[in-house]
Every structure is written in structure tokens, then in C-alpha cells.
Amino acid sequence: MDKLEQRIVVYAPVGKDARLICDVLAHARLECETCAALAQVVPQLRQGAAALFVVEEAFNAGFLAELTGFLSGQPAWSDLPVLVLSKQGLDSVAVRKVFEQVGNVTLLERPVRRATLLSAALSARRARKRQYEMREVDRRKDEFLAILGHELRNPLAPIRTAMDVLNTMPDSSPRLRHITQVVERQVKHLTRLVDDLLDVARITNDKVALKCEWVSLETVLQHAVELCRPQLEAGGQVLELQQPAGSVLLSGDRARLVQSLANVLGNAIKFSPPGAPVELRATVEGGDIVLAVRDHGPGLEPEARARIFELFVQGPAGRSHALGGLGIGLSLAQRFTRMHGGTVQVNSPGPGQGCEFVLRMPIVVAERRRRPRPAPRADGQDGEGPLRVMVVDDNVDGAEMLQTMLEMDGYLVGKAHDGQGAIALAERFHPHVALMDIGLPDMQGYEAARRIHALRQDDDTVFIAMTGWGHDEARRLAAEAGIQHYLVKPVDLNLLRQQLADIRSHVGPRTA
């Protein structure tokens, strides 16, 4: 506990109560922080506190709402003690509301003896100290999970590469190919488990932020099914896929959407009998995308349904299953769905009748209005011609190689090596897409993106950051500057191609 975490925050806005409470606590060398106004209480608590001492008269509707809002956002280890001085005790309507809504409350009825007040404060501080100790235990656990995941991924990478090499050797025997395919499936399964462990560590440390972009529903479904394909083939299940006609564009974190759906789909495959159908339905309801996965496995009892999304929790079938897993996948699916503003529900008629998991998220993108493209230019290129891509990178060789690749793929490419050059190029080139480096010599890519956005209020240029900075702060600044996508170097070129293809499919017809 640091110094701020050991103090008692006191809120007694009228009379001499605040001074008298602090005088009593001073005899036990308990530090007090007195708040003279309501607006000071929650900010002080956020900095750290062993307990909150408050008088009954302070509990008006505004204060109670602020306090309960703060307490509801506490991390799992925290349960701030609240000490309340009251004249009427539980006969007071205000005090009864406090007990109903606040939680960890100790009531001290006036007149209160000095020894009683001091004893209550010391007990609250001891309890709070144990909470801070649990916070440290959680922190060490999360560090261990992160280190474990990192150390396990190091040997997995060369094993997986070796399997790819063996699978492509022309002179390998069928028996050897069969063995390598078995090893490859198990490596993929282990890699998924390690990734889940790393995500648990990130989530519990509040280090997961969504990297939202435009992504097609078809892409999400395709990638999730591909991840689960080895499970389907090993178990002999049949996937029945239903999806909406036409193209559906989503605004969300591509990786997390795929991971959530793959976790739920993998769970259904794991518990379905061999040869049984597994149903995956994707529907659009207004602005919501609804993903439903149904299996024909052992089902869930009501008690198990209530707990199935908790971390490290498994149903009876999972505990007895040879590939029961860690009890992480469904919890991650729920958390990522909630981060997208959605919900996850599970329905099961009962034992032996299977389960249906339904993910619903308000992330369907309405049809975009296209801004008018510029009139045909002097070079003869029509405004609705090839997708125009602006490459902005101070690494000359890197920019040239990227330009060469994009032109071979049929894109019209403009190139700049600094922020001012990018702004000037954007004004005459009117790019559909800007591939923006962040560390430019004259200004950061964030600022260049802002200025380009300001050139035209109706501009719909899609910005993709391509940078060596991968930390959360850089991603936040990019999003604030209107950069919709974020790729960390060295960039997965297949992913870049897919993003450009998605963008091209939504900007109207083009001709070569």
C-alpha cells in the first residue's frame, strides 16, 4: 500500500464532524483527507483510500449516485469499506438506501464512543490492506500468465514452420505426411490455448482495446470457420452455414470478432457427436449482427448455463472431455462481444439436447454515401477508375517496394515521404486509401491525417496506419486522428490486400 492507499477519506460537509473524526483518527496515526465538497469525493477515492468515512446527512441523491457509480466500477479485488455516522440508524430512509445500494457498509450510531469509531476505522484499514494484498497476488498471477504465454510461443513458432516445410516436401511418404498433419493440428490447438492465456492476462490488466475497422461479415465467417476446420475434420462433424445474401459490412475489431466466433464454434464442435451437424447462422436485424451457433451435444443444466461464461469454469462434460480446454474461450467470447456493445446468451433445452449460443452486436454499417470523385484528370484517369492508394513513408525503399506491389495488384499509387508532401499529394490526388506511416520526419502521421481530413469536410479517405509502433497509446492517438485501421510492421501483406479489397468493394464501380 502506498501513502494514498492508507488514508481515510472523510466527507462531512456540515458542522464540526470532519474535524472531530480526523482528531480521533490522528491518535492512531491514521491520515485523513477531508473533502469539503461533493465534487472532491470520487476523485480522491480514485487516487486511493483505505476507507470512506461519511455522515448520514451527506447522502443526498446526487452523492449516492456518484458513490454507487464509482463502487460499481471497482476491480474484482476491491470492496471499499464505507463507514457511516448516523443518528437514526436503520430507521433513517437515507441509511437504508445506503445499505441497499452501497454494499460494504459499517454503521456507527451517534453518539459514538471514540474507541468504537477508532476501532471501526482500524478494522476497515486492515480489511482494505488484505484487498491490496490480493491485488498484488492477481498482478503476479497475470504476469506469470503473460510470461508463460510468451515462453511457450517461442518453441511453437519453429515447430509450426518445420511442419509446413515437411508438408511441402515432394518426396515425403504418405505416412510421414499423416504424422506431420497430426503434429500440426496439435500445434494449432496449443497455439490457440496460449493465445487465450495471453488474452486473459491482458483483459484482467485492462490492456485490451478494440482496434475497430470495416470488415465484411463474409471475411469474419470465413476466418472463424478456417480456424475450426481441423476440429471439424478430426471429429467428422458437418458444418451447416447460413448467411445473409449480399455483402454485409461490419465496424469492429476483426481479430476479436473472429476469435469470439471461433471460440464459440470450436466449443460446439468439441461437444458434438461424430458426424453430427453443427449449425452456424448469421443474420442482420437492423443495425445488429446476430451470430448463432447450435450443437447437438450433451447440453447444459440451468446452473451450468448461469456460470458457463466465467473464467476457468467448465460444465461437467468439459471436465470429462479429453479436449476440455482451460475454460477460457467462452469467457473471452463474452468479454469481446460486450466490448463491441453486444450480448451473448446460451440456451439449452436440457441434458442431451444440445446448446445454442447467440452473439448479438450493434456493429452493422449502414450503406455508405460516396462523395463525388474529382473530374477526370490530365493524365486521363477517370474519377471512378482504379482504387487510388497514397503511400506515405519516409523509408524510400519501403515506399517504392510497396508501390510496386500495389501497382502489380492493379491500384493507382501516389507516394510521399513526409507529412507536408502527403498533404499536398492528397489535395491533388484525392486518394481512396492512405497508407500512413506514423514516424515522419517533419510531423507525426497523426497530424498529417488530421490535416488531410480537414481539406474537405465530405472526404471519405480511409486511413491505414502502417507503423513500427504497436503500443496502445499509439493506437489511441491514431483513432483520435481519424485513422480507421492500424497495422504494425512488418505488415502481413495478405491482410493488407484483404483490407484494400474490402474497401474497394464499398467505393462503387471502377474500371481499369
Side-chain angles (χ1 to χ4, degrees), residues 271 295-302 304-305 308 315-318 346-356:
F271 294 112
D295 63 65
H296 297 273
L300 287 171
E301 296 280 2
R305 293 200 298 270
I308 196 65
V346 58
N347 302 304
S348 177
Q353 300 184 60
C355 294
E356 182 178 55

Side-chain angles (χ1 to χ4, degrees), residues 477-505:
L477 292 172
E480 290 178 353
I483 298 176
Q484 297 97 324
H485 307 266
Y486 200 100
L487 299 178
V488 178
K489 295 178 180 178
V491 170
D492 182 341
L493 296 179
N494 289 328
L495 177 59
L496 175 61
R497 285 188 170 102
Q498 181 61 57
Q499 289 187 338
L500 292 174
D502 288 344
I503 295 168
R504 178 162 54 185
S505 69

Side-chain angles (χ1 to χ4, degrees), residues 63 75 88 112 155 174 198 212 224 266 301 315 326 359 363 383 429:
F63 175 57
Q88 303 177 49
V112 60
L198 290 172
C212 290
E301 296 280 2
L326 302 175
L359 291 70
I363 58 174
F429 186 59

Side-chain angles (χ1 to χ4, degrees), residues 253-275:
D253 187 310
R254 176 197 301 255
R256 300 312 185 187
L257 291 173
V258 171
Q259 183 180 4
S260 298
L261 181 56
N263 284 354
V264 174
L265 183 58
N267 182 78
I269 296 169
K270 180 166 57 180
F271 294 112
S272 289

Side-chain angles (χ1 to χ4, degrees), residues 447-467:
E447 179 62 23
R450 287 193 189 93
R451 296 190 189 184
I452 293 170
H453 274 306
L455 291 175
R456 290 180 57 178
Q457 294 299 317
D458 60 347
D459 184 78
D460 64 352
T461 299
V462 178
F463 283 79
I464 302 176
M466 295 179 58
T467 173

Side-chain angles (χ1 to χ4, degrees), residues 128-352:
R128 188 64 166 166
K129 182 180 179 181
R130 287 193 292 271
Q131 293 176 24
Y132 285 124
E133 289 170 353
M134 287 305 302
R135 177 189 62 181
E136 181 64 16
V137 170
D138 278 350
R139 185 188 65 80
R140 291 177 181 176
K141 177 201 68 178
D142 296 336
E143 286 183 354
F144 169 75
L145 289 176
I147 293 171
L148 175 65
H150 179 269
E151 292 302 313
L152 286 175
R153 292 182 77 164
N154 282 335
L156 283 175
I159 293 173
R160 193 168 187 177
T161 303
M163 293 303 101
D164 288 338
V165 172
L166 288 173
N167 282 330
T168 57
M169 291 177 62
D171 57 346
S172 59
S173 66
R175 186 175 183 182
L176 178 59
R177 284 198 298 271
H178 173 71
I179 293 172
T180 57
Q181 288 168 4
V182 171
V183 175
E184 187 174 19
R185 282 197 298 269
Q186 298 306 313
V187 168
K188 287 181 178 178
H189 179 66
L190 183 56
T191 301
R192 289 278 302 279
L193 294 178
V194 171
D195 288 342
D196 284 349
L197 279 174
L198 290 172
D199 281 330
V200 169
R202 294 188 189 106
I203 285 176
T204 52
N205 282 307
D206 294 325
K207 291 184 178 179
V208 172
L210 296 183
K211 306 171 185 65
C212 290
E213 56 184 310
W214 289 323
V215 57
S216 69
L217 172 62
E218 182 181 5
T219 297
V220 172
L221 294 174
Q222 177 185 347
H223 288 184
V225 171
E226 186 61 30
L227 284 174
C228 297
R229 182 69 63 188
Q231 278 182 273
L232 280 168
E233 294 174 352
Q237 287 92 357
V238 179
L239 178 65
E240 298 180 355
L241 175 61
Q242 299 178 29
Q243 56 183 313
S247 177
V248 176
L249 190 64
L250 308 178
S251 175
D253 187 310
R254 176 197 301 255
R256 300 312 185 187
L257 291 173
V258 171
Q259 183 180 4
S260 298
L261 181 56
N263 284 354
V264 174
L265 183 58
N267 182 78
I269 296 169
K270 180 166 57 180
F271 294 112
S272 289
V278 176
E279 303 166 22
L280 170 57
R281 302 190 313 276
T283 56
V284 175
E285 298 181 8
D288 291 355
I289 185 67
V290 182
L291 305 170
V293 177
R294 178 168 176 75
D295 63 65
H296 297 273
L300 287 171
E301 296 280 2
E303 181 182 353
R305 293 200 298 270
R307 301 187 62 228
I308 196 65
F309 295 109
E310 296 178 14
L311 271 176
F312 309 116
V313 168
Q314 295 179 335
R319 291 191 292 270
S320 61
H321 200 280
L323 293 176
L326 302 175
I328 292 175
L330 293 179
S331 178
L332 291 177
Q334 183 191 58
R335 291 174 186 228
F336 292 143
T337 300
R338 286 178 174 175
M339 290 174 70
H340 282 90
T343 60
V344 180
Q345 293 181 330
V346 58
N347 302 304
S348 177

